[in-house]
Amino acid sequence: TWTQQARVLAADRAAGDAFGASLAIRGDELVVGAPQDDNVAGVDQGSVYVVGRAGGVWSQVSRLSASDAAAGDAFGSSVAITESSIVVGSPSDDVDASVNQGSVHVFARSGASWTHQARLVAGDGAAGDSLGSSVAAVGDMIVAGAPSDDIGASVDAGSSVVFSRTGSSWTRQFRLAPPVVLSSSQVGCAVSIAGSTVAVGGRGFALSGQTDQGAAWTFEVPSDCIPGVLNLASGTFSQTLAAAIASAQSGQRLQVAPASFPQASLVDTLGRSLSIESTGGVRTVSGSIVTLGGASSLLADLGEGIEIGGQLFAATGSTAHLAADRLHVGGRGGITSRVNSSLNVDVDHAELNGTVRAETGSSLAVGATMTEIGGSVRVDASASLAFAGDAVSAGSIAAAADSTVAAAGLLDLQGTTSITNGLLAASTILNRDRLELSGSVSLQGGTINLRDLDAFGSSAIFGDFTNGVGAVTTIRSGTLFLFGSLSNSGSIIGTICSNCLGGPPSLEVSGDLQLGSQASLLLPFAGSQVSVGGDFDAAIDSNERFDLSLAMLRLEGLGAEQTLEAMSADIGASEGGLDRLQPGNFPIGTLKIGPTPSIVRVVDVRDNDAAGQESCEAIYVDTLEINAGSRLINDGCAKIYYRTLVLEGTVDVPDNLVPYSSACIADFNQDGGVDGGDIDAFFAAWEAAEPNTDLNQDGGIDGGDIVVFFDRWEAGC
């Protein structure tokens, strides 16, 4: 039994409006067309009314009209409503100079109101087609009838046009028409959609001479235009992806129309292993959540891509798989491998502009030849993030304890990267911004080029390391181990970190250590150490950018000959050479060769003291230690001045090892005696303000130094 519930009228009704000429209903929303409504734009402009039901009472909610309304448009001749859209036909709308070509208007839901989104016309339409005489809509697809469309010589044969939406943009896809249709058939006077089928009516169709007998045709529309899911195992067809998953069994394959993904706000395989296979591309919208459990897969068709606008998760303990030609994660989207899960992404190219996260104990592998990261990356404890090819990150990367971030090719870090007790590996690591290493960290690569590096605790770099111009590597505490060669044109600085693990900041290089002329090497702490397994090649030309005055420089080449650059201006056997504040002075706390037997050759090929290469430079150390089995080749002009000598190995030219003469300051000319020659030598140097005349070590050359000199001279030493 049916009982009348209400009689609905327009609040502003008037004679001739034709209110009710078209209807569409969805839930508690009723859409009513009034195509002959006279409005400010003129007679028969047309209107559409939205009426809502609450408690059995229907009330007018809004009145819609076309933004470009004109007299005679017949706006509202047909209407349709979906969850997100109201579609209105305006068959008498003039398109430019084409009279009555017709159009379709789309209004998008915005809370409780509706906003005009688009005016759709057929790009190949013509005057008199009357597009919009009928409309039907589902999801992101619209079918609009044009019953007066001329097809070839068949006048008013009629057709229907399919439009689809991507985001908020609508595109004409194709035209539907029977293979053979006669004049006056008016195909498209009525349209409807069910599943993947579009039905089109032609009321004027004549068969066997029966005028206006009429007919209806069905068309299977390509799946990328309509939603729907086919379970390939059971043969069950579902309108939505959520419904298809709810009825699916583990191990089954779901064939999904691309239009189903934007409508799926929440997808969860609920621990079952399902293969979700799109017949085209995959596009999820912002705010959506896709969770792949069990051993589930999300697959795009050949040559198509996966676009993640929301969030995609590999469920805890699952093994998930994505496969497509390309993967794009939008700025508001993200992909996450949950705790102890595995997420494998099999694509040619990946663009990750949202968030990327590998939770504790999980692995996330991107099999692209090129991965571009524009968002943030987080790798939790004991997790791994791996790239099969090159990876370029303009965003930030944070990796926690025992984690791994690796690329088989280039790893180009253009944002801030933080690694804690983990591994960063690639064939080439290029850091352009800031790299922070905390705890025990390893960097592995054939070539490593860093912009800014902060090392907290002991860390290791496997590969050749370039600290470029302007780059700053800061060793907060502990040792930075480098298993390769180091080329430094920037700054390497040691600092004491009160809350950091490890001892004083130290640097250990297994290969060559090359210091450019504008480089800095500053480790100004007792207990700090610079260990070099190859050549120590220093071109630094300012004492302000070199400080190992309290540290140890250890050369241990494991049998291969190493070179050691003499850097300091030779001012003789004066402890003034240990004063690093004086220009031309590059003193070293302890110079050690060994303990593994090593061969070191002293060279002078750089003009460190800016006095020209015609003057021979020297090495000033507090302690010189040559361990058993080691050899010092010092047959050049460079001398090594020392305070303490521990000699267990061999020295080619012992005379080039000179102790400081500070024990006998009065023997200023170092001829072995204290006489007038020392007075002359002292005053000549004092008048020239040479650093070695600052005998009282107060930082100035003045009368106090004269007093000290004569006190020693009178005492005989």
Side-chain angles (χ1 to χ4, degrees):
T1 301
W2 295 87
T3 303
Q4 179 176 319
Q5 186 181 59
R7 176 171 176 252
V8 178
L9 299 172
D12 59 347
R13 57 190 177 276
D17 284 354
F19 179 87
S22 61
L23 293 169
I25 191 167
R26 183 181 184 277
D28 290 325
E29 290 180 302
L30 173 66
V31 182
V32 184
Q36 296 175 22
D37 184 21
D38 301 338
N39 208 334
V40 292
V43 177
D44 294 345
Q45 169 192 328
S47 299
V48 168
Y49 296 81
V50 181
V51 183
R53 175 170 56 184
V57 178
W58 293 86
S59 303
Q60 182 175 316
V61 175
S62 58
R63 176 175 176 271
L64 309 178
S65 60
S67 58
D68 59 345
D73 282 353
F75 176 89
S77 294
S78 60
V79 292
I81 182 171
T82 69
E83 180 181 3
S84 60
S85 304
I86 289 177
V87 182
V88 181
S90 184
S92 299
D93 187 14
D94 300 339
V95 179
D96 297 327
S98 298
V99 178
N100 294 341
Q101 177 178 327
S103 65
V104 175
H105 294 260
V106 183
F107 295 82
R109 186 188 299 275
S110 177
S113 61
W114 297 89
T115 304
H116 189 270
Q117 186 179 68
R119 173 178 180 256
L120 309 179
V121 298
D124 55 354
D129 283 354
S130 299
L131 177 72
S133 295
S134 60
V135 294
V138 60
D140 292 322
M141 187 181 80
I142 293 172
V143 179
S148 300
D149 184 17
D150 299 338
I151 299 179
S154 299
V155 178
D156 293 343
S159 67
S160 296
V161 180
V162 177
F163 301 90
S164 68
R165 175 171 56 188
T166 301
S168 59
S169 300
W170 289 88
T171 305
R172 176 194 179 280
Q173 294 294 341
F174 43 82
R175 185 182 295 274
L176 300 176
V180 178
V181 64
L182 305 176
S183 294
S184 302
S185 293
Q186 299 183 55
V187 175
C189 63
V191 294
S192 187
I193 305 174
S196 60
T197 304
V198 174
V200 179
R203 65 189 177 194
F205 181 75
L207 183 65
S208 301
Q210 301 295 317
T211 304
D212 294 336
Q213 175 179 322
W217 292 264
T218 61
F219 300 87
E220 290 301 315
V221 177
S223 60
D224 60 350
C225 292
I226 58 173
V229 183
L230 177 63
N231 188 315
L232 295 178
S234 66
T236 304
F237 181 84
S238 303
Q239 289 286 352
T240 66
L241 183 55
I245 291 176
S247 62
Q249 301 296 315
S250 187
Q252 292 182 333
R253 296 169 57 200
L254 303 180
Q255 188 179 74
V256 186
S260 298
F261 292 103
Q263 298 180 15
S265 59
L266 182 62
V267 175
D268 192 339
T269 66
L270 300 175
R272 289 165 292 171
S273 299
L274 301 178
S275 180
I276 302 173
E277 305 170 11
S278 176
T279 57
V282 175
R283 181 177 64 86
T284 69
V285 298
S286 176
S288 64
I289 299 175
V290 177
T291 302
L292 302 177
S296 295
S297 300
L298 178 61
L299 314 175
D301 200 8
L302 185 65
E304 299 288 344
I306 295 177
E307 297 183 27
I308 305 298
Q311 298 294 322
L312 184 142
F313 298 98
T316 299
S318 67
T319 301
H321 180 218
L322 303 184
D325 182 71
R326 58 196 176 278
L327 170 66
H328 178 268
V329 178
R332 296 183 179 181
I335 57 173
T336 301
S337 54
R338 292 288 200 189
V339 175
N340 295 328
S341 70
S342 174
L343 177 57
N344 296 310
V345 180
D346 184 11
V347 295
D348 290 334
H349 185 274
E351 186 175 353
L352 312 178
N353 292 327
T355 59
V356 178
R357 182 176 180 182
E359 293 185 353
T360 302
S362 71
S363 65
L364 200 168
V366 182
T369 55
M370 169 58 75
T371 300
E372 299 178 63
I373 304 170
S376 61
V377 175
R378 177 175 170 181
V379 184
D380 292 344
S382 302
S384 67
L385 172 63
F387 304 99
D390 297 338
V392 178
S393 174
S396 61
I397 298 178
D402 301 319
S403 62
T404 299
V405 178
L410 167 69
L411 186 56
D412 188 348
L413 305 175
Q414 300 178 5
T416 299
T417 303
S418 175
I419 310 292
T420 302
N421 293 329
L423 170 65
L424 185 66
S427 61
T428 299
I429 298 176
L430 178 58
N431 177 62
R432 301 173 186 265
D433 190 353
R434 183 177 180 84
L435 177 61
E436 296 181 355
L437 308 181
S438 302
S440 179
V441 178
S442 294
L443 273 66
Q444 294 184 3
T447 302
I448 300 172
N449 192 325
L450 302 186
R451 167 67 184 179
D452 286 321
L453 168 63
D454 248 339
F456 297 79
S458 294
S459 304
I461 297 176
F462 294 83
D464 294 333
F465 169 22
T466 299
N467 197 55
V469 176
V472 178
T473 293
T474 304
I475 307 172
R476 299 287 177 179
S477 63
T479 301
L480 177 60
F481 295 93
L482 174 60
F483 295 92
S485 293
L486 168 58
S487 177
N488 178 36
S489 297
S491 298
I492 297 178
I493 301 172
T495 64
I496 294 294
C497 175
S498 59
N499 296 321
C500 297
L501 300 175
S506 297
L507 174 65
E508 187 166 319
V509 182
S510 66
D512 298 335
L513 174 56
Q514 297 176 330
L515 304 173
S517 60
Q518 298 302 308
S520 295
L521 179 61
L522 303 170
L523 282 82
F525 303 104
S528 290
Q529 182 178 144
V530 175
S531 178
V532 182
D535 295 337
F536 181 82
D537 180 9
I540 296 177
D541 56 12
S542 171
N543 61 301
E544 296 178 353
R545 288 185 276 105
F546 183 89
D547 190 354
L548 297 182
S549 58
L550 300 176
M552 173 187 287
L553 174 60
R554 181 169 64 91
L555 300 175
E556 188 176 19
L558 305 179
E561 183 176 302
Q562 303 169 256
T563 61
L564 169 63
E565 176 69 20
M567 301 176 64
S568 292
D570 192 339
I571 60 173
S574 169
E575 292 191 357
L578 293 176
D579 183 4
R580 67 164 297 270
L581 298 179
Q582 296 300 321
N585 284 8
F586 300 87
I588 298 169
T590 298
L591 174 60
K592 180 175 182 176
I593 302 175
T596 303
S598 303
I599 303 171
V600 174
R601 180 183 296 274
V602 178
V603 297
D604 180 17
V605 297
R606 307 291 189 182
D607 186 17
N608 304 96
D609 64 358
Q613 282 299 94
E614 63 276 2
S615 61
C616 197
E617 293 171 330
I619 299 174
Y620 285 82
V621 300
D622 183 276
T623 300
L624 174 61
E625 182 178 344
I626 304 174
N627 295 145
S630 294
R631 175 188 174 192
L632 177 64
I633 304 174
N634 61 339
D635 52 5
C637 66
K639 291 182 173 60
I640 299 180
Y641 297 97
Y642 63 87
R643 176 180 289 156
T644 302
L645 174 63
V646 179
L647 182 57
E648 298 170 343
T650 61
V651 178
D652 283 21
V653 183
D655 288 345
N656 279 345
L657 299 185
V658 182
Y660 297 123
S661 60
S662 56
C664 188
I665 291 177
D667 184 15
F668 202 82
N669 61 4
Q670 300 180 33
D671 62 357
V674 177
D675 51 29
D678 299 303
I679 297 175
D680 294 337
F682 171 75
F683 275 104
W686 185 86
E687 290 174 355
E690 293 183 5
N692 60 334
T693 60
D694 182 18
L695 301 184
N696 61 4
Q697 298 184 11
D698 64 355
I701 308 299
D702 51 28
D705 303 303
I706 298 175
V707 172
V708 172
F709 172 75
F710 276 107
D711 284 346
R712 291 297 187 92
W713 190 86
E714 290 176 354
C717 198

